[in-house]
Amino acid sequence: GYTCENNVVVNVGGYGILQCGQTQRITVRNNVFAFCGQGGICRASPGGAVARNIVLLQDSRTMLDRIPESEALNIDRNLYWHSPSRGSAARFDGKDLAAWQERGLDTHGLIADPLFVDPEKGNFTLLPDSPALALGFQPVDMVAPGRYGDSDWM
């Protein structure tokens, strides 16, 4: 298993994150997935978690896609918004949020404007009254975003 945490993924053609293969216990926590072409998060692993993320989409309405039926999967406290002002069109495995929550998934999740300073210009700083903060989202440091790591990987 591994953890994907504190990332800002913006303007990718596919999903913000696509979990492939047989990997178990993947945790996707405290990330911003914005303006992703196909949708926010695709697939999740049994034993893993998808928690306290913000999914902001413009063209796609697919917030979460191809999520397995599993009691061993923790999805909760995520914030979803479909810009501009199309939050009610958000889809979760083809369902609306109420039907998604009936499955026992994201029971504390919300469809609400995350209140970023200026997402269209790449400023994903949250305003103090953002509903994401009430869900436990920890602001991602936007001072020096970018890739980092071992020079061989870069």
Side-chain angles (χ1 to χ4, degrees):
Y2 63 87
T3 299
C4 172
E5 183 175 52
N6 299 323
N7 297 285
V8 178
V9 179
V10 182
N11 291 324
V12 296
Y15 290 94
I17 188 167
L18 171 61
Q19 299 180 28
C20 295
Q22 300 299 317
T23 306
Q24 300 286 314
R25 296 176 314 279
I26 299 171
T27 298
V28 179
R29 176 177 53 223
N30 211 81
N31 300 285
V32 174
F33 300 106
F35 310 129
C36 303
Q38 286 186 287
I41 300 168
C42 185
R43 296 193 184 112
S45 61
V50 177
R52 297 188 326 263
N53 298 286
I54 299 173
V55 180
L56 169 64
L57 300 177
Q58 194 163 28
D59 296 325
S60 174
R61 294 180 298 172
T62 303
M63 301 295 172
L64 299 170
D65 198 15
R66 292 182 263 173
I67 305 298
E69 298 272 350
S70 173
E71 293 177 9
L73 179 59
N74 177 16
I75 298 178
D76 205 9
R77 299 192 173 277
N78 297 290
L79 181 71
Y80 308 97
W81 188 244
H82 192 237
S83 173
S85 304
R86 291 184 266 173
S88 62
R91 306 304 288 165
F92 305 83
D93 260 354
K95 301 170 178 59
D96 63 14
L97 184 60
W100 180 251
Q101 290 174 328
E102 285 176 13
R103 283 178 60 184
L105 300 170
D106 224 340
T107 57
H108 299 97
L110 297 174
I111 294 176
D113 187 337
L115 301 178
F116 290 121
V117 169
D118 193 352
E120 284 76 19
K121 292 188 177 168
N123 189 341
F124 294 94
T125 303
L126 291 170
L127 295 172
D129 54 345
S130 169
L133 299 172
L135 293 174
F137 185 87
Q138 297 297 312
V140 177
D141 181 5
M142 293 301 296
V143 174
R147 297 185 305 167
Y148 62 90
D150 184 326
S151 61
D152 291 337
W153 177 80
M154 295 296 291

